[in-house]
Amino acid sequence: MANVAKKVSWSGRDRDDDEDGRAGETTPLLNGTGPGAAGGVRQLTPSSFLRIGQLSNVDLNEDIHELQTELPRQRPNEIPHNEKLLSLKYESLDYDNSENQLFLEEERRINHAAFRTVEIKRWVICAMIGILTGLVACFIDIVVENLAGLKYRVVKDNIDKFTAKGGLSFSLLLWATLNASVVMVGSVIVAFIEPVAAGSGIPQIKCYLNGVKIPHVVRLKTLVIKVCGVILSVVGGLAVGKEGPMIHSGAVIAAGISQGRSTSLKRDFKIFEYFRRDTEKRDFVSAGAAAGVSAAFGAPVGGVLFSLEEGASFWNQFLTWRIFFASMISTFTLNSVLSVYHGNAWDLSSPGLINFGRFDSEKMGYTIQEIPIFIFMGVVGGILGALFNALNYWLTMFRIRYIHRPCLQVVEAMLVAAVTATVGFVMIYCSRDCQPIQGSSVAYPLQLFCADGEYNSMATAFFNTPEKSVVNLFHDPPGSYNPMTLGMFTLMYFFLACWTYGLTVSAGVFIPSLLIGAAWGRLFGISLSYLTKGSIWADPGKYALMGAAAQLGGIVRMTLSLTVIMMEATGNVTYGFPIMLVLMTAKIVGDYFVEGLYDMHIQLQSVPFLHWEAPVTSHSLTAREVMSTPVTCLRRIERVGTVVDILSDTSSNHNGFPVVESNPDTTQVAGLRGLILRSQLIVLLKHKVFVERANLSLVQRRLKLKDFRDAYPRFPPIQSIHVSQDERECMIDLSEFMNPSPYTVPQEASLPRVFKLFRALGLRHLVVVDNRNEVVGMVTRKDLARYRLGKEGLEELSLAQT
């Protein structure tokens, strides 16, 4: 272990425990390498709790201590980072319901009418998710439109004034200062208040739906910072879009609404308390992510497919209907409010935050000889997307190592904002691409050194919000842009967008990717028009659309959902096949070089993310080789002091404990009887559900599932629960609260078989047993995630408290 160090995370804070006070499911470093990993149950001393198995492992604390002696006590200038590590700090979510006696009794009491009521509540929650997501999207759009319009009018008036009398350097200074000031505010609130609100939030939501708990990712405070941050980022002129963060915003709204309470606001409405468990919350977060896509692009079907393709790890038909309903309500709400705002209440002409405008398929159809051209554009998109991701990968590594302090992150964001304004100004100043202003749809035409009645074409790309620039590139008539203008814009904006993604600001990569692709796609169309002497099929707008799809597909590697989103956003099914062809080609070519942008950032943060399948060459590994040992077990009737000691033991910090039946008079261990979670034990101790040793026949205090739901999701830490010395000698019966039928695998099961069971069922703990049903180990998420297919075959990641 050469590189074990603290690393900047999405949350940006140092946490040993997650936000609900639970400690991580610690897996020993390099499991399965010790002598005891080979199997068998060792002889146990007759103690009140059982340590099963033995493992000789590297002491991680010694590595950290050694590193700390090398580095100064102050925050280091450089944080060493090794992408071959897997972080132990990330919690897993309990997607598997604990079918204990309390759960079964409650389910049996639910009659048909009660079941219908629960189903109606699910639909009501989905409707509320759609409405609120749509309203948040409206708020973002209206505020951005007004603030950006004000900024552009001020800068335009200043440029027009100084063009006549000289002194344009003052205009540049004004534009750069305005951008840097606005971005500074947006970066400060993210860096110092809620760092998890940085970026688009899509990688974090992917991890959450995969079963990884990212601290603070679905908090109300995160939503507020996200909304304010994305407004300031777009108004600040960065090469970003407001569409990607809508997915994170929708997910946060869904998580809050479905629980019927807010811990930030100290409000608990009890109305939806039945849904207070990770399984239900996950399904609603899937609906919120889809509603966010629907609001961003006016694409309800695309939203459902995005949630299926990029987000949800678990799916069923009933969930599909509810997600589609939430998406439909979201886009309808946005459409209604924006139509009223724009003064055409009955028109419903604003289905999403970005509307690509309608393409006339009669004038812009495609023929069979264009199919190879579309495939070639897909190849170009895949190569450029892979280049974008590779550059962003090295930039992110640099940021992790050197730009880890919040103040440095704010300075970098301000620098990027100022450089973006400077590059835009210099390119507009140097461009002599003048176009007639009559019939132009340009919102803020800059005349600069053009003749009267003309405007600077370069300004339509830089001196506008990115969404409007994309629409202009799609629909401006042929001849609106000089090829040199498009070429220079593509080159500069490519590097600006690459530099911008990963800053400590709330921003997405969807629109910058579309804008880059639309620019080089239009340039490609102009070139074809020259080569074919102005053939009608070589329309630059059509190729701008294909270039946009190719570039976005090459960066994020979405296929199915992106095809439908592009078709819904353009309102034209005609281009369905070409878009599909372009996206498939871009994904295949891009995957040959590097991973997609979101997967790459998940990997850089050392998150234990589980893909759909186990590595293809992992059949030689068995459960015995990958499992964690030793396992801390509890007896069915256990002493309270023992339970407290186990939960307080910082060297283990396990979250699931197998329950075994054992005879105190012998050292022989009986088979597995069940599994109980740390959170359940903490609730039992909090409510003092135990009896004196001499009176085991007394009835314990009766708990209900409501008591566990009231503590969800932030169960109190064990340190906050006081247990007296007398109470430590009492006994606690776990029979009623443990899950009596946990999932188990034999120790000879292959890794792909274990992986498939774990991944498909959304497990957190998988108990490994021998042929006598005795516990020999435990498989957790980290045990499976640390095996991945590298360039030289199957590789094993090291585990560390990064």
Side-chain angles (χ1 to χ4, degrees), residues 564-587:
V564 177
I565 288 171
M566 297 291 282
M567 284 196 296
E568 288 185 282
T570 55
N572 196 323
V573 187
T574 307
Y575 297 122
F577 176 70
I579 290 173
M580 209 177 304
L581 202 61
V582 162
L583 288 172
M584 287 294 292
T585 309
K587 177 175 170 55

Side-chain angles (χ1 to χ4, degrees), residues 16-138:
D16 294 322
D17 297 339
D18 69 349
E19 77 265 28
D20 58 12
R22 290 181 295 173
E25 49 182 17
T26 304
T27 311
L29 181 65
L30 300 178
N31 295 317
T33 58
V41 179
R42 298 177 61 84
Q43 292 294 314
L44 302 168
T45 57
S47 60
S48 52
F49 70 97
L50 310 172
R51 292 271 184 186
I52 297 181
Q54 186 63 41
L55 179 69
S56 170
N57 67 315
V58 180
D59 187 358
L60 185 62
N61 292 326
E62 288 180 5
D63 284 325
I64 295 175
H65 179 70
E66 289 173 8
L67 184 67
Q68 287 173 342
T69 59
E70 296 171 8
L71 298 175
R73 290 191 176 276
Q74 293 81 16
R75 301 190 71 165
N77 292 326
E78 177 185 356
I79 292 184
H81 175 55
N82 182 358
E83 64 271 24
K84 300 292 185 182
L85 294 179
L86 199 65
S87 177
L88 288 171
K89 72 178 179 181
Y90 289 108
E91 281 281 321
S92 290
L93 293 159
D94 292 301
Y95 284 165
D96 179 37
N97 288 325
S98 178
E99 293 189 350
N100 54 22
Q101 290 183 28
L102 298 182
F103 178 83
L104 295 176
E105 286 172 10
E106 182 184 80
E107 291 296 310
R108 289 179 189 128
R109 284 197 303 269
I110 296 180
N111 55 25
H112 182 70
F115 175 75
R116 298 289 295 177
T117 303
V118 169
E119 275 299 297
I120 290 171
K121 283 183 178 179
R122 285 196 176 100
W123 287 92
V124 169
I125 291 171
C126 287
M128 293 172 68
I129 290 169
I131 292 170
L132 286 175
T133 304
L135 291 176
V136 167
C138 290

Side-chain angles (χ1 to χ4, degrees), residues 252-304:
V252 179
I253 291 167
I257 293 294
S258 64
Q259 303 305 290
R261 71 175 174 192
S262 169
T263 50
S264 301
L265 299 178
K266 307 277 192 300
R267 292 285 184 271
D268 190 348
F269 300 102
K270 304 285 186 186
I271 183 171
F272 299 134
E273 64 179 354
Y274 177 80
F275 305 116
R276 287 177 188 172
R277 57 179 184 264
D278 286 339
T279 317
E280 296 283 356
K281 194 173 179 180
R282 173 198 71 205
D283 291 346
F284 290 119
V285 168
S286 298
V293 175
S294 180
F297 296 98
V301 179
V304 175

Side-chain angles (χ1 to χ4, degrees), residues 23 58 103 178 244 251 268 278 360 378 384 415 460 617 622 712 721 770:
V58 180
F103 178 83
L178 282 175
D268 190 348
D278 286 339
D360 189 347
L384 288 178
L415 175 64
T460 60
T617 59
T622 63
Y712 177 85
I721 296 173
D770 62 10

Side-chain angles (χ1 to χ4, degrees), residues 334-336 338-340 342-352 355:
L334 179 86
N335 208 340
S336 303
L338 287 186
S339 296
V340 171
H342 292 134
N344 44 0
W346 304 106
D347 201 11
L348 293 182
S349 56
S350 304
N355 185 5

Side-chain angles (χ1 to χ4, degrees), residues 293-356:
V293 175
S294 180
F297 296 98
V301 179
V304 175
L305 292 174
F306 174 86
S307 199
L308 171 61
E309 183 180 10
E310 282 293 306
S313 299
F314 313 97
W315 203 262
N316 61 59
Q317 189 176 12
F318 295 111
L319 180 61
T320 307
W321 279 106
R322 290 198 296 272
I323 288 178
F324 181 65
F325 179 67
S327 298
M328 183 182 69
I329 295 293
S330 174
T331 193
F332 177 76
T333 302
L334 179 86
N335 208 340
S336 303
V337 174
L338 287 186
S339 296
V340 171
Y341 174 74
H342 292 134
N344 44 0
W346 304 106
D347 201 11
L348 293 182
S349 56
S350 304
L353 292 183
I354 181 169
N355 185 5
F356 294 154

Side-chain angles (χ1 to χ4, degrees), residues 483-772:
M484 180 61 73
T485 299
L486 291 173
M488 290 301 297
F489 173 79
T490 302
L491 182 66
M492 299 308 299
Y493 206 81
F494 181 91
F495 289 107
L496 285 174
C498 186
W499 190 12
T500 305
Y501 188 79
L503 288 177
T504 311
V505 294
S506 298
V509 77
F510 269 67
I511 299 302
S513 304
L514 290 172
L515 185 51
I516 295 165
W520 68 255
R522 191 176 181 95
L523 177 61
F524 188 81
I526 293 171
S527 305
L528 274 181
S529 180
Y530 284 151
L531 291 174
T532 57
K533 302 203 173 7
S535 293
I536 187 66
W537 54 265
D539 187 285
K542 173 175 59 178
Y543 288 102
L545 176 65
M546 297 305 157
Q551 186 67 49
L552 182 55
I555 290 174
V556 300
R557 310 292 160 74
M558 290 158 47
T559 52
L560 185 65
S561 56
L562 193 52
T563 302
V564 177
I565 288 171
M566 297 291 282
M567 284 196 296
E568 288 185 282
T570 55
N572 196 323
V573 187
T574 307
Y575 297 122
F577 176 70
I579 290 173
M580 209 177 304
L581 202 61
V582 162
L583 288 172
M584 287 294 292
T585 309
K587 177 175 170 55
I588 292 168
V589 173
D591 283 342
Y592 179 78
F593 296 104
V594 292
E595 289 183 300
L597 190 65
Y598 301 141
D599 291 330
M600 191 184 73
H601 276 263
I602 289 171
Q603 181 181 316
L604 277 171
Q605 296 298 332
S606 305
V607 179
F609 186 89
L610 295 181
H611 295 280
W612 287 104
E613 298 286 345
V616 291
T617 59
S618 59
H619 278 86
S620 58
L621 293 172
T622 63
R624 181 172 58 192
E625 294 171 279
V626 303
M627 67 187 183
S628 297
T629 57
V631 180
T632 303
C633 295
L634 296 169
R635 295 182 300 190
R636 191 175 56 81
I637 299 176
E638 189 59 271
R639 194 170 68 90
V640 170
T642 301
V643 175
V644 172
D645 291 340
I646 290 174
L647 296 181
S648 304
D649 183 7
T650 55
S651 66
S652 62
N653 291 340
H654 301 303
N655 265 296
F657 303 94
V659 179
V660 298
E661 193 75 70
S662 65
N663 187 343
D665 300 329
T666 70
T667 58
Q668 293 299 314
V669 183
L672 177 69
R673 292 292 176 264
L675 182 78
I676 192 160
L677 302 177
R678 170 182 289 267
S679 56
Q680 294 173 315
L681 291 171
I682 283 176
V683 173
L684 296 182
L685 292 175
K686 180 182 176 183
H687 290 278
K688 302 193 181 301
V689 186
F690 36 76
V691 294
E692 295 179 10
R693 182 187 293 275
N695 301 309
L696 285 179
S697 59
L698 291 177
V699 178
Q700 300 183 95
R701 180 188 165 185
R702 185 72 177 166
L703 280 187
K704 296 183 179 179
L705 276 184
K706 179 182 180 301
D707 296 300
F708 294 90
R709 287 173 183 151
D710 285 343
Y712 177 85
R714 294 189 200 118
F715 297 95
I718 184 64
Q719 291 79 10
S720 68
I721 296 173
H722 175 70
V723 178
S724 67
Q725 194 60 41
D726 291 338
E727 289 172 336
R728 287 179 62 88
E729 299 303 318
C730 294
M731 304 298 285
I732 183 169
D733 189 351
L734 305 178
S735 305
E736 190 179 8
F737 310 103
M738 70 181 185
N739 181 3
S741 55
Y743 291 102
T744 62
V745 290
Q747 57 185 345
E748 299 303 328
S750 68
L751 175 60
R753 196 168 186 82
V754 173
F755 190 100
K756 191 175 295 184
L757 176 66
F758 195 97
R759 175 71 169 75
L761 298 176
L763 302 182
R764 185 175 187 177
H765 307 98
L766 183 58
V767 185
V768 182
V769 296
D770 62 10
N771 54 10
R772 293 176 295 176

